[in-house]
Amino acid sequence: MTEEEEYKKSQNEVESCMRGSGKSREMDGGGVKSNSVLGSGWNGLALGIVSTLWPDEGVEQWNAVGKESSLHLFNSLIFAYASSRQPHLSFLLFATQTSLLPPNRLTFQFLLKASSKSKSLLQASQIHCISTKLGFGSHVFVQNGLLHCYIMCGLFKDARRVFDVMPERDVASFNCMIHGYAESGDMDSASGVFRSAPSPNVVTWTAMVAGYARRGDVHIARRFFEEMPHRDVVSWNAMMSAYVQNRRPVVALGLFRRMQLENLAPSSTSTTIVGLLLACTGARALDQGKWVHAYLNKKRIRLNSYLGSALIDMYCKCGAAELGFQVFAGLVEKNLGVWNAMINGLAINGYSERALELFDEMRMGATVLPDEVTFVGVFLACSHAGFVEEGRRHFHCTVKECGVRLVLEHYSCMVDLLARCGFLKEAEDIVRCMPIRPDDVVWRALLGGCMVHKDVELAERVVLEIDARCSGDYVLLSNLYASVERWNEVERVRRFMKDKRIEKTPGCSSVEIESDSRVHLKR
DNA sequence: TTAGGGTTAG
């Protein structure tokens, strides 16, 4: 049976189970009966697993939970795995547990959590089937778990079908559904579910705020935020993030000040600080970013990967790559986001060699595998420094070796590198043979090379390929004609722009926002 | 111990 057939079969089974499950037979607590089956060998195994999960406090935690009840212990472990980076290990543990101890409702809840985290609908369907057979399937928490898994897998229509036939719904079921619609950008449906929710809570309202923000409707998001009967730290974080996402970083900073005034800032989580750092980055507010960093140090807040990469990115985008590197060097937890922030940060600041060295270091370490974003940094570094050979090697070989798919951004960097270094033919060949349709950024990268090397004929062809031609493209072409003293063509382009009323976009620059609007963090 | 907010490119 293929995986798809297997999936369909279990989906049918789930649906027939759901239709026929009727009233749930609660068995919570009953499972502990088999305690005696669990010998010391199992306790040893459990201890080993706990120690791996929590190397420092493992024994202590095990002592705290392990001796009460074996089922409780196994459930705790399943939950710990479900919340960890290896959620699939929950299923392995369940396979060993189920032969010794009858699972209870919590076991299934945690397994469904693991299915959601590993986005495994097949597992979720199977788990739901077993739970239904044991009489837990129609419990609202279990059903919510299944619903959540459908949402996490992006199957919104299927989620709706589950939602519609649920024998009982609570506020979390509505919240799940709203979040799902919001994720898919369907705020009309989300708002329909929101209106039908009998008792929306702070989670419901926050899901609406985040949903509108994600779609770019920051004003509607703000209206929901202001109308909320009660706000908690997550709602504030969602609203701050809404402004950051919609390129209004200064408003986000202002919101944090209001949060402080309402005395909510002391309970701010690392997510609040990440939001604050993102706002500083967006506003290019280096001084305020430094304040946030100092605050983190003062409060001895450990830098997790989110905080670390946000800090690195803030320093690099504000032109202080050295400070970014200091943060990077001091980080204990370096995940892909952290490496990418540093490699890209060095590349955009012109530290090409250092960026490429770091990329080699990352590959040598082999704990984190590069992805598309990493290669954007790599090509950017090659392009800024004019490292043609190295760029070619990475473009044609390393990307494949790492199992990474080439995306538009990679092509634009590579075309930029080749074209600027005078390999115009090779650059054009790449554009013409790309397996994905080149966008205007790619064509403009080629146009830039034509400018440097005064290739008028190619530039004329390239300009015609640009979909959304703007004044800059015509100005570039006219300057190119001027540089080879073809004054008639210069005049022709200028007249064309005038007739079509194509105006030059005025240049602009930005400065750091004034100190009186600075965020002052409470000590 | 079901549900909402966070990092890296463009």
Side-chain angles (χ1 to χ4, degrees):
Chain A
M1 204 187 287
T2 67
E3 196 173 282
E4 197 181 327
E5 285 165 345
E6 214 174 327
Y7 159 64
K8 284 236 165 79
K9 187 175 165 247
S10 55
Q11 199 179 27
N12 290 336
E13 273 179 19
V14 168
E15 278 176 13
S16 66
C17 282
M18 281 179 64
R19 278 193 296 273
S21 59
K23 198 171 178 294
S24 109
R25 282 181 287 122
E26 264 305 331
M27 283 170 68
D28 262 9
V32 192
K33 272 183 233 154
S34 315
N35 256 356
S36 57
V37 185
L38 196 87
S40 57
W42 282 106
N43 286 337
L45 169 70
L47 178 61
I49 296 168
V50 178
S51 311
T52 320
L53 278 172
W54 302 295
D56 298 328
E57 65 244 80
V59 181
E60 210 178 298
Q61 294 227 14
W62 182 77
N63 277 330
V65 299
K67 292 179 182 158
E68 281 175 32
S69 101
S70 310
L71 183 63
H72 183 103
L73 170 66
F74 271 110
N75 280 347
S76 305
L77 286 175
I78 288 178
F79 177 78
Y81 274 129
S83 319
S84 76
R85 285 181 201 153
Q86 296 162 303
H88 58 279
L89 293 179
S90 299
F91 307 125
L92 274 178
L93 199 61
F94 175 64
T96 58
Q97 177 205 354
T98 195
S99 59
L100 291 162
L101 291 166
N104 66 3
R105 197 197 73 221
L106 278 184
T107 319
F108 292 110
Q109 254 173 250
F110 300 159
L111 287 168
L112 284 168
K113 185 186 174 82
S115 312
S116 295
K117 194 144 187 221
S118 50
K119 296 188 180 174
S120 168
L121 197 60
L122 184 61
Q123 297 279 15
S125 305
Q126 287 170 344
I127 299 295
H128 191 249
C129 251
I130 306 168
S131 71
T132 305
K133 281 175 188 161
L134 290 176
F136 305 119
S138 59
H139 189 281
V140 67
F141 283 17
V142 175
Q143 297 246 321
N144 285 347
L146 185 68
L147 187 61
H148 191 224
C149 195
Y150 274 109
I151 302 280
M152 292 300 282
C153 295
L155 298 163
F156 306 111
K157 282 185 184 157
D158 300 86
R160 184 62 196 237
R161 278 197 300 150
V162 174
F163 180 75
D164 286 339
V165 298
M166 276 170 79
E168 188 196 338
R169 293 178 199 148
D170 66 1
V171 64
S173 332
F174 283 86
N175 294 345
C176 243
M177 215 48 240
I178 291 172
H179 176 67
Y181 281 130
E183 277 279 289
S184 68
D186 182 0
M187 284 316 287
D188 293 338
S189 304
S191 128
V193 179
F194 177 78
R195 279 194 302 269
S196 66
S199 48
N201 62 9
V202 62
V203 180
T204 329
W205 283 89
T206 307
M208 293 301 284
V209 170
Y212 279 112
R214 199 171 291 121
R215 209 178 64 169
D217 290 326
V218 71
H219 294 297
I220 308 182
R222 182 62 183 255
R223 219 169 55 216
F224 271 87
F225 180 75
E226 295 299 341
E227 281 174 19
M228 282 173 80
H230 164 71
R231 285 183 281 269
D232 66 4
V233 68
V234 179
S235 338
W236 283 90
N237 292 346
M239 195 63 239
M240 269 178 71
S241 148
Y243 282 115
V244 174
Q245 281 169 33
N246 291 283
R247 296 174 190 275
R248 306 270 303 275
V250 181
V251 186
L253 291 172
L255 211 63
F256 183 74
R257 294 175 79 198
R258 201 180 124 194
M259 197 172 167
Q260 285 184 304
L261 291 173
E262 295 190 16
N263 253 335
L264 268 157
S267 69
S268 56
T269 58
S270 66
T271 307
T272 317
I273 309 289
V274 169
L276 203 50
L277 282 169
L278 292 177
C280 294
T281 310
R284 300 293 186 266
L286 179 60
D287 271 0
Q288 298 199 23
K290 284 181 176 170
W291 259 98
V292 179
H293 193 182
Y295 175 81
L296 287 167
N297 285 337
K298 198 175 175 71
K299 293 278 177 187
R300 294 181 177 277
I301 296 173
R302 199 183 64 89
L303 295 184
N304 62 17
S305 55
Y306 287 106
L307 280 168
S309 35
L311 259 178
I312 294 169
D313 191 50
M314 182 275 297
Y315 278 128
C316 292
K317 296 258 170 70
C318 293
E322 299 82 1
L323 294 174
F325 194 78
Q326 276 176 26
V327 174
F328 176 81
L331 277 181
V332 184
E333 186 186 323
K334 286 193 182 82
N335 73 357
L336 182 61
V338 170
W339 284 94
N340 284 350
M342 198 64 248
I343 292 173
N344 279 284
L346 288 168
I348 60 171
N349 281 282
Y351 295 101
S352 300
E353 285 188 34
R354 192 68 197 98
L356 294 168
E357 276 168 23
L358 209 63
F359 173 64
D360 287 338
E361 219 176 285
M362 178 188 184
R363 292 191 70 204
M364 298 276 277
T367 46
V368 178
L369 297 172
D371 70 350
E372 283 92 351
V373 184
T374 323
F375 278 100
V376 172
V378 168
F379 293 130
L380 214 55
C382 294
S383 160
H384 281 178
F387 294 152
V388 178
E389 257 324 298
E390 194 155 5
R392 280 188 187 124
R393 181 164 54 83
H394 290 313
F395 187 79
H396 295 294
C397 309
T398 324
V399 169
K400 275 192 206 113
E401 283 166 27
C402 296
V404 171
R405 183 176 52 100
L406 283 170
V407 296
L408 274 173
E409 286 77 11
H410 299 148
Y411 284 99
S412 38
C413 290
M414 195 59 205
V415 168
D416 179 73
L417 165 64
L418 291 169
R420 270 201 289 157
C421 292
F423 301 93
L424 287 168
K425 172 80 176 60
E426 188 180 341
E428 192 187 1
D429 286 347
I430 285 185
V431 183
R432 303 270 176 209
C433 302
M434 276 169 65
I436 33 178
R437 189 174 180 269
D439 66 351
D440 290 350
V441 181
V442 176
W443 287 114
R444 287 196 179 109
L446 189 54
L447 186 62
C450 299
M451 273 300 290
V452 178
H453 299 282
K454 297 191 170 57
D455 190 330
V456 179
E457 283 68 35
L458 180 58
E460 285 170 334
R461 287 205 304 275
V462 170
V463 165
L464 293 176
E465 301 279 0
I466 297 176
D467 278 334
R469 276 189 293 273
C470 65
S471 60
D473 302 318
Y474 293 106
V475 172
L476 219 66
L477 191 62
S478 130
N479 288 351
L480 178 53
Y481 284 131
S483 72
V484 291
E485 299 182 351
R486 285 165 62 169
W487 305 113
N488 288 342
E489 272 93 346
V490 173
E491 180 53 31
R492 187 168 56 82
V493 176
R494 294 285 170 178
R495 202 170 333 108
F496 176 82
M497 285 177 74
K498 208 170 171 185
D499 292 348
K500 297 276 178 193
R501 301 194 175 183
I502 302 168
E503 304 232 330
K504 266 178 77 175
T505 319
C508 64
S509 57
S510 68
V511 288
E512 189 173 340
I513 55 174
E514 287 171 19
S515 57
D516 60 347
S517 61
R518 178 172 297 163
V519 170
H520 292 283
L521 293 156
K522 284 184 182 168
R523 279 164 242 272

